[in-house]
Amino acid sequence: VHGDPEKESSGINAEYGEVVVSLFLFILLLRSLLCPFVTRGTMFKFIEDLSDEARTKLLVACAIAVTLVWLAIGIGSSLLCSVVCFVYPAYKSFKAVESPQGDDDTQWLTYWIVYSTFNILEYFTDLLLFWIPMYNLLKCLFLLWCMWPIKNNGSTLVYHKILRPFLLKNEDKIDARLDKVTGKVNKYVDDAKREAAAFADSSTGQALVAGAQVASANAAQQLDEALNDSDKDKDI
């Protein structure tokens, strides 16, 4: 059952609208902050007097401040949080897979275990988390702590203190459930294969196969004729 195209389109437009409004609010915020300095001409002079290293640090600090304000406002913050906490770890995971060392593989696998668990819990508690002020900011800070390049970052602590003991304790039960579900899926697939093979061997199935072959041949012939006509038109 497909959803209403108009509702889906309105939902997409609403998401883009949130992003546009958030960008507009940031422009107003930056303008209100920088306008007193720019009118007196002191801001640009201050930046010009800085060294390259200090200018880079200032740029990074401004980017972090803008990101935090955006996450705190709430408009489009969910999209920004997903980009920060998914795109960068995904790229670092690619680098870890391509590197010969194994420590970084363990680091990012641990992060993805924590990230997946967090997303599952978030899905079932979304109605409650919605009411937490600046939730997306708190979520982004938590996931940044989980991916931070230190020895005992958030993902390492959460995995070893919470997830690993729970998974080790229930590993046999989880494996048994997975084997049961996998067996049922394989049974359904085998039954579907047998039914498809029986249908193909029947007279109705053979008639459908023959009709499909004829239709395919006719389509190929029409395509060849269209290409030949196009070549003739070019020659003329």
Side-chain angles (χ1 to χ4, degrees):
V1 179
H2 298 284
D4 190 350
E6 294 182 357
K7 292 183 179 179
E8 294 178 357
S9 177
S10 62
I12 296 174
N13 292 333
E15 292 180 359
Y16 283 117
E18 289 183 351
V19 176
V20 172
V21 172
S22 63
L23 291 176
F24 178 72
L25 290 176
F26 275 120
I27 292 173
L28 293 180
L29 177 63
L30 292 176
R31 181 182 177 184
S32 63
L33 292 174
L34 298 179
C35 188
F37 296 99
V38 174
T39 52
R40 294 195 298 266
T42 57
M43 185 65 179
F44 293 142
K45 186 177 183 303
F46 171 75
I47 295 176
E48 290 176 356
D49 294 339
L50 292 176
S51 62
D52 293 338
E53 182 180 358
R55 197 178 295 121
T56 302
K57 291 181 179 179
L58 177 63
L59 180 61
V60 172
C62 292
I64 294 175
V66 170
T67 303
L68 292 177
V69 173
W70 190 347
L71 290 170
I73 289 175
I75 301 176
S77 57
S78 179
L79 174 63
L80 178 61
C81 184
S82 298
V83 170
V84 172
C85 300
F86 182 84
V87 175
Y88 175 76
Y91 178 73
K92 295 298 291 184
S93 299
F94 158 74
K95 299 285 287 184
V97 171
E98 295 298 324
S99 67
Q101 293 82 13
D103 295 340
D104 48 0
D105 296 355
T106 303
Q107 173 190 348
W108 290 110
L109 281 173
T110 305
Y111 172 81
W112 289 117
I113 293 173
V114 175
Y115 181 84
S116 302
T117 305
F118 182 86
N119 276 351
I120 293 173
L121 295 176
E122 184 184 37
Y123 177 81
F124 289 104
T125 58
D126 183 62
L127 292 177
L128 298 176
L129 298 176
F130 175 79
W131 299 101
I132 298 178
M134 298 186 295
Y135 167 70
N136 286 314
L137 175 60
L138 299 176
K139 172 185 174 181
C140 192
L141 292 176
F142 169 74
L143 292 176
L144 285 174
W145 175 54
C146 288
M147 73 174 75
W148 204 256
I150 56 177
K151 183 177 180 181
N152 292 321
N153 57 13
S155 59
T156 301
L157 294 177
V158 172
Y159 174 76
H160 287 284
K161 297 293 184 180
I162 301 175
L163 296 180
R164 186 173 183 271
F166 174 80
L167 292 174
L168 289 176
K169 181 179 179 181
N170 299 278
E171 186 176 5
D172 294 336
K173 296 179 181 179
I174 296 173
D175 289 340
R177 295 284 181 87
L178 288 176
D179 291 339
K180 186 177 180 180
V181 172
T182 303
K184 288 184 177 180
V185 171
N186 291 333
K187 182 178 180 298
Y188 292 148
V189 172
D190 293 338
D191 293 340
K193 287 182 179 179
R194 284 194 295 270
E195 292 179 1
F199 179 77
D201 294 336
S202 64
S203 58
T204 304
Q206 292 177 357
L208 289 175
V209 171
Q213 291 176 348
V214 172
S216 176
N218 292 334
Q221 183 179 358
Q222 292 177 1
L223 179 61
D224 291 338
E225 291 177 355
L227 292 176
N228 292 332
D229 293 340
S230 177
D231 293 338
K232 290 179 181 179
D233 294 337
K234 290 180 180 180
D235 294 337
I236 294 175

